[in-house]
Amino acid sequence: MHFRFGLALAFLIGGAVPALAQAECQSPVAPAAPDGRTSSQAEMMAAAGDARNFIAQSDVYQQCLVDYIKAQKDLAAKDKTPFDKSIEADATKKINENQADKVKVGADINAAIAAFKSSHPN
């Protein structure tokens, strides 16, 4: 009885370890771009800084996920066990989603800056 409980517990913990490790890679929150037509110069400068910060944090997040995949592959090779490809698929999905967010944030802030410049010709 104790053996089965221990085996079940080990299985549950072992299955949770990849998810816990990926949780250490914190996805940054994408900032919303302001309305460039109605925002002040200070608001626009802050928004541009927020966008740059998000993009930099996203690069760190994506590298964390890449490093995690590599570490899991290395561990599987060391332990001579098959690598769980779902780990790589999940991390790759997160990277792709974050990359799409980076592109959107960049496009949104550029559009807001263009709207600001056309609304504030001086």
Side-chain angles (χ1 to χ4, degrees):
M1 181 71 161
H2 290 296
F3 177 73
R4 284 187 197 165
F5 177 74
L7 188 59
L9 183 61
F11 178 73
L12 288 173
I13 291 172
V17 170
L20 291 174
Q22 281 191 25
E24 292 177 10
C25 300
Q26 294 297 317
S27 176
V29 176
D35 183 345
R37 294 172 291 134
T38 59
S39 295
S40 68
Q41 184 175 3
E43 290 169 329
M44 291 304 299
M45 290 178 69
D50 289 346
R52 283 191 301 274
N53 188 39
F54 170 75
I55 291 168
Q57 288 176 352
S58 292
D59 292 342
V60 171
Y61 171 65
Q62 290 181 20
Q63 188 60 53
C64 179
L65 291 170
V66 168
D67 292 346
Y68 175 73
I69 293 168
K70 183 181 180 328
Q72 291 302 305
K73 285 181 176 180
D74 291 348
L75 182 62
K78 179 183 165 232
D79 293 345
K80 297 180 181 166
T81 59
F83 173 67
D84 181 358
K85 293 194 184 279
S86 69
I87 293 171
E88 186 171 22
D90 183 48
T92 300
K93 179 179 180 238
K94 290 177 181 179
I95 289 169
N96 291 338
E97 288 169 350
N98 180 256
Q99 187 63 33
D101 287 345
K102 282 174 56 176
V103 170
K104 182 180 181 327
V105 166
D108 289 351
I109 194 63
N110 286 335
I113 291 169
F116 177 82
K117 286 180 178 180
S118 68
S119 299
H120 303 84
N122 293 338

